[in-house]
């Protein structure tokens, strides 16, 4: 466990090193909010997603680990993003993710939601099929391809 | 298959033996928990090795209460005795002065009390969680800070671009207003009454101020956009000074102010952007004239040193209050010191001056005494051609 935390801290400090170059360009007016769901403390994947979006010219807001759904909904109201991304680090947090998707959908029926993370390795995406405009993104490559196409499409 | 022990091998002794008190002693002594034997009145009769190590001293003879952090003033062995088997979170004072929580249980015998303290792993876990959480928060805030910095940088660039464009487009019409105002003042003044001449002079004065403002804006936007470049050429500093003073002499004469110039007889030829250094000298001398009382003098010194040259200009004005000296090189900041003739200031002249001097690897500074006046110095290092 200690090694995992150390590795996380090192990775986060490495991510910090690229920030002076990451935020320089703004290629699209698209905005995204990326967040870990309630009870999800593994934030590094979500942060990478936010950074990849930023690298591709989006304006991305990263809310961090364990974000209460009410606060997330409030922030969506404030920022009015084009997309929300939810990160699932651990499979057993799936009910929290479903709850988050439900709340967002109730408040924002047309908002695009992307989901992803190590918690989906067991292929739990079937549970998301009942929601429209919720997309599972399986890799960083797929994320880049999707965000590029969306950035150009809007 | 019959199994027999090999010859000479010792057969296991399966006879049950009760542990001897010394075995308990050994475990207690080696245990990574705090173990104390206390007297009835709470004095430590014995402490295990771990307790002595944790508290950093021999504890025998001290009161148990004295090893606790003093917010346990309510600690009372008589009360504890009434609730046997209960666990008490108590903080011991470690040698580094920090408290450490242990969960204590107390066993009362006839004449002694055994106190057994277990380390609070929950507290450590909580601290670890908080550190990880804070580290992540710090990381997220660093991300946000970089993002905001990038946004500010972009906005600043846009502002400079806008400023540059606006100033550039304003320069030409202002120039026309000045030219026509001067033409009318020269050619049409005899046809005008005093009030109308006054109007013309106001138009002319205001237009000159606007032109100076626009020129300063253009300089500042070029500096901030990183487009400020020097055209370095071998130059004669005396010649530059003379050219600068030609403009200032007219201004000084109008106010009855003498320009006292003291300069060395020999100057090395130096590499500099002559027109920008001329701009600096004109600006500093002009400022000095504007701050000097009429019928006095502005003193200008130009000296050579081993490292280059030192220029200074001293006015005989009211001086700058010490607490306002730091405003001098901040954009749009103005000190409370009024110009004697009520002239307007853009608040940008000193910024531009400093940028030009620093771009030449020189230094600029100001000394001022209230009631006596202000002296501005700058140095330029010697750069051979």
């Amino acid at each position: 466990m200690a090694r995992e935390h150390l590795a996380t801290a090192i990775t986060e400090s490495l991510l910090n090193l690229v920030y002076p170059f990451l935020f320089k360009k703004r290629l699209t007016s698209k905005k995204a909010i990326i967040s870990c769901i309630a009870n999800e403390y593994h934030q590094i994947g979500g942060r990478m997603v936010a950074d990849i979006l930023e690298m591709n010219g989006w304006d991305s807001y990263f809310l961090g680990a364990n974000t209460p759904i009410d606060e997330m909904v409030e922030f969506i109201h404030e920022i009015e993003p084009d997309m929300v991304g939810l990160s699932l680090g651990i499979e057993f947090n799936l009910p929290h993710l479903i709850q988050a998707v439900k709340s967002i959908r109730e408040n924002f029926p047309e908002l695009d939601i992307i989901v992803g993370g190590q918690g989906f390795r067991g292929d739990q995406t079937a549970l998301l099929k009942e929601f429209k405009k919720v997309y599972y993104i399986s890799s960083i490559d797929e994320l880049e391809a999707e965000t590029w196409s969306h950035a150009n499409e809007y | 298959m019959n199994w027999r022990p090999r010859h000479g091998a010792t057969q296991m002794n399966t006879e049950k033996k009760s542990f001897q008190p010394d075995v308990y002693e050994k475990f207690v002594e080696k245990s990574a928990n705090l173990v104390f034997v206390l007297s009835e009145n709470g004095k430590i009769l014995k402490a295990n090795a771990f307790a002595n190590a944790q508290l950093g001293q021999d504890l025998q003879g001290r009161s148990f209460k004295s090893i606790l952090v003093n917010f346990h003033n309510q600690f009372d062995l008589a009360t504890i005795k009434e609730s046997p088997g209960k666990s008490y979170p108590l903080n011991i004072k470690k040698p580094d002065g920090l408290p450490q929580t242990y969960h204590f249980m107390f066993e009362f015998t006839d004449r002694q009390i055994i106190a057994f303290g277990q380390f609070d792993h929950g507290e450590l876990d909580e601290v670890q969680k908080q550190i990880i959480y804070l580290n992540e928060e710090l990381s997220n805030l660093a991300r946000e800070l970089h993002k905001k910095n990038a946004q500010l940088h972009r906005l600043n660039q846009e502002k400079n671009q806008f400023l540059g464009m606006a100033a550039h487009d304003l320069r030409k019409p202002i120039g026309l207003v000045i030219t026509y105002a001067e033409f009318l003042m020269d050619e049409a003044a005899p046809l005008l009454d005093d009030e109308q001449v006054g109007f013309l002079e106001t138009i002319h004065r205001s237009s000159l101020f606007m032109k100076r403002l626009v020129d300063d804006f253009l300089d500042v936007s070029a500096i901030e956009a990183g487009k400020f470049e020097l055209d370095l050429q071998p130059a004669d500093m005396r010649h530059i000074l003379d050219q600068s003073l030609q403009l200032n002499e007219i201004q000084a004469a109008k106010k009855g102010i003498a320009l006292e110039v003291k300069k060395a007889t020999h100057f090395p030829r130096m590499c500099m952007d002559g027109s920008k250094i001329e701009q600096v000298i004109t600006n500093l001398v002009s400022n000095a004239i504007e701050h000097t009382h009429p019928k006095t003098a502005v003193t200008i010194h130009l000296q050579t040193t081993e490292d280059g040259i030192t220029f200074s200009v001293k006015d005989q004005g009211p001086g700058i209050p010490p607490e306002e000296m730091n405003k001098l090189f901040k954009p749009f900041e103005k000190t409370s010191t009024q110009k004697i003739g009520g002239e307007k200031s853009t608040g940008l002249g000193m910024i531009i001056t400093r940028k030009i001097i620093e771009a030449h690897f020189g230094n600029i500074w100001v000394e001022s005494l209230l009631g006596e006046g202000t002296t501005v110095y700058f140095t330029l290092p010697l750069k051979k051609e």
Side-chain angles (χ1 to χ4, degrees):
Chain A
M1 191 66 94
R3 278 172 189 272
E4 184 200 330
H5 293 315
L6 181 64
T8 305
I10 291 170
T11 311
E12 297 223 32
S13 56
L14 287 173
L15 288 175
N16 285 348
L17 290 180
V18 299
Y19 284 150
F21 313 99
L22 192 70
F23 296 110
K24 280 193 171 163
K25 53 185 179 178
R26 179 72 61 232
L27 303 175
T28 163
S29 58
K30 297 294 112 193
K31 287 185 284 187
I33 293 174
I34 308 298
S35 181
C36 296
I37 49 167
N39 210 40
E40 180 58 72
Y41 290 89
H42 296 81
Q43 70 158 22
I44 209 157
R47 211 177 126 186
M48 283 175 173
V49 168
D51 291 350
I52 291 286
L53 286 168
E54 199 73 44
M55 209 164 79
N56 285 287
W58 285 58
D59 187 6
S60 70
Y61 297 81
F62 180 57
L63 303 190
N66 186 29
T67 306
I69 183 62
D70 293 348
E71 286 182 22
M72 200 189 301
V73 167
E74 199 177 309
F75 197 68
I76 297 171
H77 270 296
E78 187 187 322
I79 298 295
E80 299 180 345
D82 301 279
M83 179 179 84
V84 167
L86 301 175
S87 172
L88 182 71
I90 294 179
E91 189 181 339
F92 62 67
N93 282 330
L94 191 64
H96 291 287
L97 181 117
I98 301 290
Q99 187 54 46
V101 171
K102 268 186 188 160
S103 294
I104 295 170
R105 193 44 75 237
E106 279 166 16
N107 287 278
F108 311 94
E110 297 301 322
L111 181 62
D112 282 341
I113 301 173
I114 62 167
V115 295
Q118 293 297 302
F120 282 102
R121 278 193 299 186
D123 191 23
Q124 294 83 353
T125 51
L127 288 167
L128 297 166
K129 291 212 167 94
E130 63 172 291
F131 303 103
K132 64 170 185 171
K133 299 187 105 177
V134 176
Y135 310 102
Y136 167 62
I137 304 290
S138 63
S139 68
I140 292 288
D141 288 341
E142 191 181 340
L143 174 76
E144 282 210 274
E146 287 292 325
T147 47
W148 260 116
S149 66
H150 276 266
N152 297 330
E153 169 189 307
Y154 287 120
Chain B
M1 179 164 58
N2 286 329
W3 183 85
R4 287 164 186 270
R6 281 173 296 163
H7 178 70
T10 314
Q11 195 165 359
M12 281 178 76
N13 185 358
T14 54
E15 186 188 342
K16 284 187 178 174
K17 283 172 72 176
S18 59
F19 287 116
Q20 297 302 308
D22 62 326
V23 177
Y24 280 115
E25 284 275 326
K26 193 174 156 190
F27 276 106
V28 165
E29 191 60 23
K30 300 262 179 187
S31 163
N33 295 299
L34 305 176
V35 183
F36 298 94
V37 179
L38 310 178
S39 67
E40 281 175 310
N41 60 2
K43 282 254 188 274
I44 298 172
L45 302 173
K46 197 172 177 185
N48 71 344
F50 185 71
N52 283 318
Q54 286 299 295
L55 287 135
Q57 56 189 295
D58 186 8
L59 302 165
Q60 203 166 343
R62 284 181 56 184
S63 93
F64 180 73
K65 206 171 170 178
S66 75
I67 68 165
L68 302 177
V69 176
N70 58 12
F71 47 74
H72 291 301
N73 280 337
Q74 302 301 316
F75 175 79
D76 177 34
L77 281 170
T79 315
I80 290 170
K81 194 175 182 180
E82 286 168 14
S83 310
K86 199 175 163 187
S87 174
Y88 298 87
L90 299 175
N91 290 289
I92 64 159
K93 198 190 293 177
K94 295 189 72 179
D96 57 10
L98 293 172
Q100 176 71 62
T101 309
Y102 279 81
H103 289 277
F104 273 91
M105 289 180 74
F106 296 87
E107 191 64 38
F108 290 79
T109 63
D110 288 345
R111 307 189 59 177
Q112 289 181 338
I113 305 157
I114 309 289
F116 179 79
Q118 276 187 305
F119 183 69
D120 186 352
H121 290 281
E123 187 182 60
L124 192 65
D125 288 347
E126 191 52 38
V127 169
Q128 191 185 16
K129 256 189 219 167
Q130 287 300 320
I131 290 172
I132 292 165
Y133 169 74
L134 288 173
N135 191 41
E136 289 187 337
E137 274 297 295
L138 190 66
S139 205
N140 293 343
L141 288 172
R143 182 185 192 276
E144 202 57 27
L145 188 66
H146 278 294
K147 188 171 168 162
K148 294 284 180 213
N149 273 342
Q151 281 171 348
L152 281 175
H153 185 70
R154 270 196 298 272
L155 285 171
N156 199 34
Q157 277 181 327
E158 284 168 16
K159 182 260 297 173
N160 285 333
Q161 206 176 349
F162 171 77
L163 200 65
M165 280 164 59
H168 188 263
D169 289 346
L170 282 171
R171 210 167 183 274
K172 199 173 172 184
I174 293 169
L176 283 174
V177 172
I178 293 168
T179 307
Y180 285 126
E182 283 172 353
F183 171 76
L184 286 173
M185 283 161 72
D186 290 345
E187 303 293 327
L191 307 172
L192 305 173
D193 61 30
D194 286 351
E195 192 183 23
Q196 287 166 329
V197 170
F199 291 158
L200 259 183
E201 282 172 352
T202 306
I203 291 170
H204 185 244
R205 200 169 47 245
S206 301
S207 308
L208 283 175
F209 175 71
M210 279 168 70
K211 183 176 174 295
R212 193 145 56 92
L213 195 60
V214 163
D215 286 344
D216 284 357
F217 276 158
L218 280 170
D219 280 344
V220 167
S221 66
I223 288 166
E224 294 215 355
K227 291 178 184 164
F228 184 75
E229 286 174 3
L230 296 180
D231 178 18
L232 293 175
Q233 301 285 340
D236 181 343
M237 192 61 197
R238 271 179 310 181
H239 178 64
I240 291 172
L241 178 66
D242 291 343
Q243 275 191 323
S244 309
L245 295 183
Q246 275 178 10
L247 293 169
N248 295 123
E249 272 163 0
I250 303 164
Q251 183 193 8
K254 277 185 188 170
K255 294 183 73 179
I257 292 168
L259 292 185
E260 292 177 357
V261 183
K262 296 175 187 171
K263 55 186 173 186
T265 49
H266 175 72
F267 282 95
R269 280 176 72 78
M270 295 168 69
C271 243
M272 65 181 76
D273 186 324
S275 67
K276 292 218 163 47
I277 295 299
E278 193 180 317
Q279 183 185 346
V280 166
I281 294 174
T282 306
N283 182 40
L284 293 179
V285 175
S286 173
N287 268 348
I289 293 168
E290 286 169 355
H291 284 96
T292 292
H293 296 292
K295 311 293 178 198
T296 58
V298 165
T299 313
I300 297 146
H301 271 212
L302 183 61
Q303 302 163 46
T304 49
T305 62
E306 279 183 17
D307 305 322
I309 57 121
T310 301
F311 172 90
S312 69
V313 54
K314 184 178 185 314
D315 68 39
Q316 292 187 34
I320 303 163
E323 65 277 13
E324 294 185 19
M325 292 285 278
N326 62 352
K327 288 184 175 178
L328 284 172
F329 294 106
K330 288 183 181 167
F332 304 110
E333 294 258 11
K334 290 173 190 173
T335 62
S336 60
T337 309
Q338 296 293 315
K339 293 184 178 181
I340 306 297
E343 295 93 336
K344 284 184 188 174
S345 164
T346 64
L348 294 170
M350 289 302 275
I351 304 283
I352 296 164
T353 299
R354 188 173 75 172
K355 288 284 179 189
I356 293 172
I357 295 300
E358 287 179 349
H360 282 83
F361 299 101
N363 287 316
I364 182 164
W365 70 99
V366 179
E367 291 172 2
S368 189
L369 277 174
L370 273 179
E372 291 193 19
T374 303
T375 309
V376 183
Y377 298 84
F378 75 76
T379 60
L380 290 178
L382 188 59
K383 279 188 205 165
K384 294 197 172 163
E385 293 164 26

